[in-house]
Amino acid sequence: MSDVILSLQHLHKRFGALQATHDVSLELHQGEIHALIGPNGAGKSTLIGQIAGNLRPDEGSVFLAGTEITQMSIAQRARLGLGRSFQVSSLAEPLSVMRNVMMGVQALQSHSFRFWKPIARDKALLEPAYEALERMQLSHRAWTPVSELSHGERRQVEVACALALKPRALLLDEPMAGLGPEGSAKLTELLEALKHEVPILLIEHDMEAVFRLADRISVLVSGSVIAHGDSHAIKQDPRVREAYLGNDDA
Ligand SMILES: Nc1ncnc2c1ncn2[C@@H]1O[C@H](COP(=O)(O)OP(=O)(O)O)[C@@H](O)[C@H]1O
Ligand SMILES: [Mg+2]
């Protein structure tokens, strides 16, 4: 199917005796948010690692827009259009928002001569960075140091860093974590608008955000997908209720 942007096929990953990913297959389609939910330790971050390239699956394949990327490096995958944000922030606190986003673009363009150019005057970096900040409704904060931003604004910058690279697909690992209701609501609204431009594979514990945003949900428990479906189907699924929704740990 041509609208499949990301396809995971029969992924397996072990850490010693632990089967962290067991035969996981799923697809991310154009124009959608596909949420991946599951209790702590279910293997969500391990799965994201295999998609983004910091982990190699023991078996199985990953395709981005029809190209197999299973053995590619992180940088190669990023150049092919895989964008991601991290569960732990990687922003440089003393630098401006704009500078942070531009550094991300620069790292990917990474022709060595670029290092000799003053970064702040480089249009090839400024334009995509500014555009990404506008999409995250943060252009008014472009020259503010990251250290002065609220927690929610930092999350918006992190997404902007990924967006500035003009990805074909976006991987977000718990973007709402640690945000108050206001920050979550804002980010939810921004992601809802964004999905029409970039499909998103979303790992998220905030179930209100998941049920509002996700076109499809896959439920991961102990490394295996135990259910796939839309919000309605997942809410009703007795296995999901037992394994996850009734679990306070979530
Ligand atoms: N590098 C690693 N080495 C060994 N075990 C790991 C490693 N990374 C994750 N794990 C284990 O794999 C399981 C899945 O972890 P993780 O993918 O982080 O879960 P989640 O993101 O769903 O909370 C956990 O039991 C975790 O302890
Ligand atoms: Mg995790």
Side-chain angles (χ1 to χ4, degrees):
M1 252 197 309
S2 62
D3 78 335
V4 176
I5 300 302
L6 192 61
S7 171
L8 314 189
Q9 299 179 6
H10 306 290
L11 291 182
H12 291 258
K13 179 71 189 175
R14 287 184 160 280
F15 295 117
L18 179 77
Q19 183 87 52
T21 304
H22 179 72
D23 197 24
V24 171
S25 297
L26 57 85
E27 289 179 342
L28 176 67
H29 294 248
Q30 198 64 267
E32 76 170 8
I33 292 182
H34 187 151
L36 186 64
I37 64 172
N40 282 328
K44 304 180 296 296
S45 294
T46 301
L47 199 60
I48 290 283
Q50 292 169 79
I51 304 169
N54 38 322
L55 289 173
R56 291 282 180 281
D58 299 328
E59 280 176 59
S61 340
V62 183
F63 290 85
L64 177 65
T67 301
E68 182 166 7
I69 62 169
T70 321
Q71 301 302 330
M72 287 186 186
S73 69
I74 295 172
Q76 282 174 312
R77 293 173 203 226
R79 274 186 213 109
L80 270 183
L82 198 61
R84 74 175 298 192
S85 79
F86 294 87
Q87 204 172 357
V88 177
S89 174
S90 53
L91 298 175
E93 294 269 332
L95 301 181
S96 69
V97 166
M98 179 62 99
R99 185 73 190 259
N100 268 274
V101 181
M102 286 169 79
M103 285 193 310
V105 182
Q106 187 188 40
L108 202 68
Q109 293 182 344
S110 93
H111 303 298
S112 54
F113 65 83
R114 287 207 169 273
F115 291 106
W116 303 102
K117 277 191 172 184
I119 185 174
R121 281 189 232 135
D122 193 333
K123 271 184 94 175
L125 301 178
L126 253 172
E127 282 176 359
Y130 193 79
E131 214 175 280
L133 286 173
E134 283 205 307
R135 284 220 218 132
M136 284 291 108
Q137 296 183 9
L138 265 186
S139 47
H140 63 293
R141 301 289 256 165
W143 303 105
T144 304
V146 165
S147 57
E148 289 176 25
L149 300 185
S150 70
H151 206 57
E153 287 174 320
R154 289 175 199 220
R155 286 296 156 74
Q156 289 165 238
V157 178
E158 285 159 14
V159 177
C161 287
L163 276 184
L165 304 173
K166 304 197 188 302
R168 291 195 231 201
L170 204 51
L171 311 175
L172 300 180
D173 196 350
E174 299 195 27
M176 314 290 175
L179 298 187
E182 210 175 292
S184 292
K186 178 75 185 172
L187 194 54
T188 299
E189 178 197 315
L190 290 168
L191 296 183
E192 199 163 34
L194 192 60
K195 75 170 186 183
H196 301 290
E197 290 169 64
V198 192
I200 300 171
L201 184 62
L202 175 70
I203 290 183
E204 189 47 62
H205 273 317
D206 178 338
M207 296 311 292
E208 197 182 318
V210 166
F211 287 137
R212 167 140 175 226
L213 284 172
D215 300 285
R216 266 178 317 144
I217 300 174
S218 296
V219 184
L220 199 63
V221 175
S222 305
S224 299
V225 174
I226 62 156
H228 270 304
D230 63 14
S231 293
H232 181 74
I234 292 298
K235 279 180 193 168
Q236 306 303 322
D237 191 307
R239 289 163 305 167
V240 177
R241 297 177 78 95
E242 185 189 341
Y244 183 60
L245 295 175
N247 182 349
D248 288 332
D249 182 42

